[in-house]
Amino acid sequence: MDSVTAVALIGVGGTVITALSGVVGSVRTAGIGSRGNASLEDRKSRRAAYSACAAALLVQRDAALRLMNDLDVQDLDVETAKEKVAQAQALRHDVGPTVGAVVVEGPDSVADAAEAAAFELNRWLDDLAWWVELGRPHEKRRVVELGASSSVDRVGYLMAVCREALHPDEGGQRRQGRRLPMRWDMGRNDEPDGN
């Protein structure tokens, strides 16, 4: 083999090695890019599931707060009150599928928080129905008040856990879940209204 042929073969070999390196690099870059796209799609999917669940729970929470305000009158029509309770309880049908989506998306901390918030809201609405059925006795009012406080806290905690799951790199720098003021004054010492 003469020296020109050897140089040519070395040049071709170098070109092949360079080309293979480029192909390997391109494949690796594409893999990293597809993992990045998958990660982005996962975050979008989680954000959508979390948002739908949060919206459904907030609507149910606000309906229950309005209901408590409506029930806090002396000359309450009991049949109208029962209808309003049933309407608020019907919102459970909207909450269930959204909580299920969050449970599927995870992680466990968010799934557990969503289930706990839905459970507390359901129990609170059941307590409201029970209280109305009994005629809103003053001595049983505290049960409903505790359900309200626990439900509002659980929904707020879910919001904070969702934000942490979506933005873990921000840690404690993100504003923690702000607590929305309850419209029903739970600290009152009303006299029994005879109902």
Side-chain angles (χ1 to χ4, degrees), residues 136-195:
R136 297 176 307 130
H138 184 72
E139 67 275 6
K140 303 290 185 191
R141 180 184 184 124
R142 187 72 182 144
V143 171
V144 178
E145 292 171 344
L146 290 173
S149 178
S150 180
S151 295
V152 168
D153 288 345
R154 290 290 183 160
V155 171
Y157 178 71
L158 171 64
M159 304 306 155
V161 172
C162 288
R163 283 190 300 273
E164 179 62 29
L166 291 171
H167 309 285
D169 54 334
E170 295 180 17
Q173 294 176 358
R174 264 188 100 71
R175 183 171 57 154
Q176 292 301 311
R178 65 175 190 209
R179 183 167 175 163
L180 298 175
M182 290 183 55
R183 293 176 189 87
W184 204 54
D185 187 327
M186 295 179 10
R188 288 188 278 197
N189 291 319
D190 292 342
E191 294 300 317
D193 59 9
N195 289 339

Side-chain angles (χ1 to χ4, degrees), residues 56-160:
L57 288 168
L58 289 170
V59 166
Q60 189 179 28
R61 183 207 63 194
D62 290 348
L65 287 170
R66 280 191 306 277
L67 177 61
M68 286 183 70
N69 285 331
D70 292 347
L71 295 177
D72 196 28
V73 295
Q74 282 194 339
D75 58 341
L76 176 73
D77 176 38
V78 176
E79 290 308 311
T80 301
K82 287 180 182 178
E83 288 175 19
K84 288 182 178 187
V85 169
Q87 290 170 354
Q89 287 176 317
L91 293 171
R92 292 176 180 171
H93 302 295
D94 296 333
V95 171
T98 64
V99 170
V102 170
V103 169
V104 169
E105 289 293 333
D108 288 344
S109 60
V110 179
D112 293 346
E115 288 181 311
F119 176 81
E120 287 298 323
L121 279 168
N122 285 334
R123 187 167 65 176
W124 178 24
L125 287 168
D126 289 344
D127 289 346
L128 280 167
W130 164 79
W131 190 52
V132 168
E133 194 66 38
L134 291 177
R136 297 176 307 130
H138 184 72
E139 67 275 6
K140 303 290 185 191
R141 180 184 184 124
R142 187 72 182 144
V143 171
V144 178
E145 292 171 344
L146 290 173
S149 178
S150 180
S151 295
V152 168
D153 288 345
R154 290 290 183 160
V155 171
Y157 178 71
L158 171 64
M159 304 306 155

